[in-house]
Amino acid sequence: MNLSQPNASRHLIKLKYAKLITSEKQAQWVYYRVDKTSLERYPFVQELLAKEPEQQPHCQKDFARLQKYRGQGGCCETKVKIKDVATII
């Protein structure tokens, strides 16, 4: 997303404080997700999250990479190596 790690963390903390996201820490990693209750309360957020990434090239690249990762059996519990998919887009 072209953000420094400290800047991204600062934004995530604000979103968490606003109760738009939740987090779960596992070892040195923190996993964030959109809070389902907030999506029900603010349906425009779900619409924004559904449509906006389609407009952003870096999101399209990340989504293509995620699809390839999942297609090879990768998930949070199962890691697989994939080659960069930059040439796909």
Side-chain angles (χ1 to χ4, degrees):
M1 297 184 76
N2 225 6
L3 292 173
S4 66
Q5 188 276 328
N7 199 11
S9 291
R10 194 169 23 255
H11 288 297
L12 288 167
I13 288 169
K14 289 180 181 184
L15 290 170
K16 188 174 176 184
Y17 183 74
K19 298 185 179 177
L20 293 173
I21 62 172
T22 60
S23 66
E24 179 183 338
K25 185 168 181 156
Q26 294 181 9
Q28 77 271 23
W29 299 101
V30 179
Y31 297 91
Y32 293 92
R33 68 177 42 98
V34 177
D35 182 66
K36 290 180 183 179
T37 305
S38 293
L39 290 179
E40 293 168 2
R41 188 177 304 138
Y42 309 111
F44 72 93
V45 173
Q46 187 167 3
E47 185 177 331
L48 178 68
L49 291 172
K51 292 182 178 179
E52 185 62 23
E54 296 171 356
Q55 309 301 319
Q56 304 297 325
H58 61 276
C59 291
Q60 293 169 357
K61 180 181 174 186
D62 287 346
F63 187 68
R65 191 167 164 77
L66 175 62
Q67 285 181 311
K68 187 170 185 181
Y69 185 76
R70 286 183 174 164
Q72 294 180 3
C75 65
C76 292
E77 293 83 21
T78 306
K79 296 181 182 179
V80 296
K81 282 217 176 247
I82 60 170
K83 292 183 180 181
D84 193 6
V85 294
T87 56
I88 293 175
I89 297 176

